[in-house]
């Protein structure tokens, strides 16, 4: 584009065009996923014992994008919840649910659903690829025959164009 510098006359100054300058604005590409709280790639529940109430962990995922293309957010869970001793909690006890935070795109799990190891698509943006925010709620129900201890799994979130 161009910028024109004009002087408006007042008193002895003559009104008119001073100069025209070329202008170029560059918008830096932004395509980021922000995870709050920062989990470091793992989800941990410490000191689990049978007959305890379910444990809940909430994660907010925010996408900042100006690329104008549809995108999706996925998660990859490497394995079931496992203790350092190798005891695993069956998948049916670990669920996922998503909540809108004025979300424009489509949440894949608005209702409680069993979480599976491997890749799961969590969210698809609107057609404009607008920036968006949503919450993921993980719930671990404690099995009645659980071996007490600390349990963890690795979760990796991925942001990709579609």
């Amino acid at each position: 584009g161009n910028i024109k510098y004009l002087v408006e006359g007042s008193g002895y100054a003559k009104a008119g065009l001073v100069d025209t300058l070329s202008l170029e604005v560059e918008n830096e590409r932004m395509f980021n996923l922000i995870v709050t709280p920062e989990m470091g790639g793992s989800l941990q529940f410490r000191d689990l014992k049978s007959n305890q109430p379910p444990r809940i962990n909430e994660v907010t995922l925010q996408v900042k994008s100006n690329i104008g293309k549809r995108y999706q957010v996925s998660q990859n869970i490497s394995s079931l919840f496992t203790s350092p001793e190798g005891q695993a909690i069956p998948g049916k006890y670990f669920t996922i649910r998503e909540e809108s935070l004025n979300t424009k795109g489509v949440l894949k799990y608005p209702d409680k659903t069993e979480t599976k190891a491997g890749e799961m698509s969590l969210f698809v943006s609107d057609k404009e690829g607008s920036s968006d925010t949503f919450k993921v709620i993980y719930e671990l129900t404690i099995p009645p025959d659980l071996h007490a201890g600390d349990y963890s799994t690795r979760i990796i979130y991925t942001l990709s164009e579609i």
Side-chain angles (χ1 to χ4, degrees):
N2 292 318
I3 295 179
K4 292 184 179 184
Y5 285 102
L6 300 171
V7 173
E8 292 183 9
S10 68
Y12 64 91
K14 183 179 175 187
L17 177 66
V18 174
D19 201 355
T20 300
L21 302 172
S22 295
L23 174 68
E24 185 175 316
V25 177
E26 184 177 322
N27 284 333
E28 201 170 311
R29 177 184 160 100
M30 181 174 44
F31 194 55
N32 299 321
L33 177 64
I34 300 165
V35 180
T36 309
E38 177 63 43
M39 300 176 6
S42 69
L43 181 58
Q44 299 178 356
F45 291 107
R46 298 194 179 280
D47 199 27
L48 295 181
K49 296 178 181 118
S50 58
N51 298 321
Q52 286 182 324
R55 298 281 182 102
I56 295 174
N57 188 296
E58 296 183 358
V59 177
T60 301
L61 300 175
Q62 179 182 22
V63 178
K64 293 187 176 185
S65 176
N66 66 359
I67 63 172
K69 295 180 183 176
R70 292 188 81 190
Y71 60 85
Q72 74 175 9
V73 177
S74 303
Q75 73 176 16
N76 190 323
I77 297 180
S78 61
S79 65
L80 301 174
F81 272 95
T82 308
S83 71
E85 296 80 29
Q87 299 289 329
I89 298 176
K92 67 182 180 181
Y93 293 103
F94 184 42
T95 61
I96 184 173
R97 181 173 62 84
E98 296 172 304
E99 283 184 4
S100 171
L101 298 174
N102 294 323
T103 307
K104 300 169 206 75
V106 178
L107 299 172
K108 297 293 192 165
Y109 302 100
D111 300 314
K112 195 184 286 191
T113 305
E114 181 180 328
T115 304
K116 300 188 182 334
E119 181 122 355
M120 293 175 72
S121 175
L122 299 177
F123 172 83
V124 176
S125 73
D126 62 6
K127 292 178 184 174
E128 292 78 31
S130 304
S131 294
D132 225 329
T133 305
F134 61 99
K135 185 185 292 187
V136 181
I137 301 158
Y138 298 102
E139 183 175 321
L140 181 65
T141 303
I142 312 300
D145 60 346
L146 178 79
H147 293 278
D150 299 339
Y151 286 80
S152 66
T153 188
R154 296 196 54 73
I155 300 179
I156 298 171
Y157 297 103
T158 305
L159 174 62
S160 55
E161 293 179 29
I162 53 175

